[in-house]
């Protein structure tokens, strides 16, 4: 009887320790808690330094899961995804984020969205800028189309 009890507790302890281990992260892999951020730069087009700065500022918020941002000379467009359970307080969060961005980028026009379609469109534009597959004129045209699309959906 005593050996069965000891064997049971030994197996239970082994099971609990084995299930608690996380696989080691590979170098360059993001942790689960950090939002999806892609830093972009392209010296031939407009410098994307303001959008990268905005991503850095917004990445401090725990409820944000992805941040996409592109800027022109005088405008900055930011789209974020938040955790699903935070969608109930979306309007307050959006106001808070927009206020934060206006504080840091006083000289730029800020466009802000939490719509999934806008996130996807900005992601495509980011990729084109990153891979140098777009001209400055095309980028500004696409930027205006995304801003128009965001205004239509609100």
């Amino acid at each position: 009887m005593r050996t069965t009890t000891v064997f049971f507790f030994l197996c239970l302890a082994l099971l609990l320790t084995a299930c608690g281990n996380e696989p080691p992260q590979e170098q360059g892999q993001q942790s689960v808690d950090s939002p999806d951020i892609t830093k972009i730069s392209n010296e031939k087009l407009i410098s994307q330094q303001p959008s990268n700065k905005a991503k850095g500022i917004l990445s401090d918020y725990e409820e944000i899961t992805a941040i996409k941002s592109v800027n022109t000379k005088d405008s900055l467009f930011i789209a974020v995804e938040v955790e699903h359970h935070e969608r109930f307080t979306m309007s307050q969060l959006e106001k808070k984020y927009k206020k934060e961005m206006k504080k840091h980028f006083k000289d730029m026009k800020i466009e802000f969205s939490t719509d999934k379609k806008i996130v996807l469109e900005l992601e495509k534009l980011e990729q084109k800028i990153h891979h140098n597959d777009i001209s400055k004129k095309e980028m500004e045209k696409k930027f205006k189309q995304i801003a128009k699309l965001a205004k239509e959906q609100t």
Side-chain angles (χ1 to χ4, degrees), residues 59-122:
S59 66
D60 293 337
Y61 293 101
E62 293 177 3
E63 61 271 5
I64 295 178
T65 58
I67 307 167
K68 304 297 176 190
S69 178
V70 174
N71 66 281
T72 61
K73 279 193 288 187
D74 55 352
S75 298
L76 175 65
F77 203 119
I78 305 165
V80 297
E81 287 183 26
V82 295
E83 292 177 350
H84 187 69
H85 65 277
E86 295 291 340
R87 294 195 112 9
F88 296 113
T89 59
M90 186 65 76
S91 60
Q92 293 96 350
L93 291 174
E94 193 170 341
K95 286 178 186 176
K96 179 173 76 170
Y97 302 147
K98 198 169 188 176
K99 184 178 178 182
E100 180 78 18
M101 291 297 100
K102 284 186 178 187
K103 184 173 77 172
H104 287 281
F105 301 102
K106 296 175 183 167
D107 57 337
M108 296 185 89
K109 180 183 174 195
I110 306 292
E111 297 281 341
F112 197 89
S113 179
T114 55
D115 186 22
K116 180 71 174 172
K117 175 72 174 170
I118 305 301
V119 172
L120 294 173
E121 291 295 324
L122 279 179

Side-chain angles (χ1 to χ4, degrees), residues 2-151:
R2 181 174 166 98
T3 57
T4 310
T5 307
V6 172
F7 181 72
F8 174 74
F9 283 115
L10 191 69
C11 288
L12 183 65
L14 181 65
L15 179 68
L16 291 176
T17 57
C19 293
N21 291 338
E22 291 183 16
Q25 280 189 333
E26 293 181 19
Q27 188 176 17
Q29 186 180 16
Q30 288 185 344
S31 71
V32 176
D33 296 337
S34 66
D36 177 23
I37 300 174
T38 305
K39 301 279 184 174
I40 53 175
S41 70
N42 189 333
E43 299 304 320
K44 295 178 183 176
L45 293 174
I46 298 168
S47 172
Q48 296 298 307
Q49 202 65 20
S51 65
N52 289 335
K53 183 179 176 186
K55 289 176 186 180
I57 294 167
L58 289 174
S59 66
D60 293 337
Y61 293 101
E62 293 177 3
E63 61 271 5
I64 295 178
T65 58
I67 307 167
K68 304 297 176 190
S69 178
V70 174
N71 66 281
T72 61
K73 279 193 288 187
D74 55 352
S75 298
L76 175 65
F77 203 119
I78 305 165
V80 297
E81 287 183 26
V82 295
E83 292 177 350
H84 187 69
H85 65 277
E86 295 291 340
R87 294 195 112 9
F88 296 113
T89 59
M90 186 65 76
S91 60
Q92 293 96 350
L93 291 174
E94 193 170 341
K95 286 178 186 176
K96 179 173 76 170
Y97 302 147
K98 198 169 188 176
K99 184 178 178 182
E100 180 78 18
M101 291 297 100
K102 284 186 178 187
K103 184 173 77 172
H104 287 281
F105 301 102
K106 296 175 183 167
D107 57 337
M108 296 185 89
K109 180 183 174 195
I110 306 292
E111 297 281 341
F112 197 89
S113 179
T114 55
D115 186 22
K116 180 71 174 172
K117 175 72 174 170
I118 305 301
V119 172
L120 294 173
E121 291 295 324
L122 279 179
E123 184 175 9
K124 289 178 192 174
L125 185 57
E126 278 185 354
Q127 292 301 319
K128 286 182 180 181
I129 292 170
H130 183 70
H131 296 298
N132 201 18
D133 292 341
I134 193 168
S135 69
K136 183 176 180 180
K137 190 174 183 177
E138 289 173 344
M139 185 192 86
E140 289 177 352
K141 182 180 176 185
K142 184 70 174 166
F143 186 92
K144 288 178 184 176
Q145 286 175 346
I146 295 171
K148 185 179 176 183
L149 180 64
K151 285 186 169 67

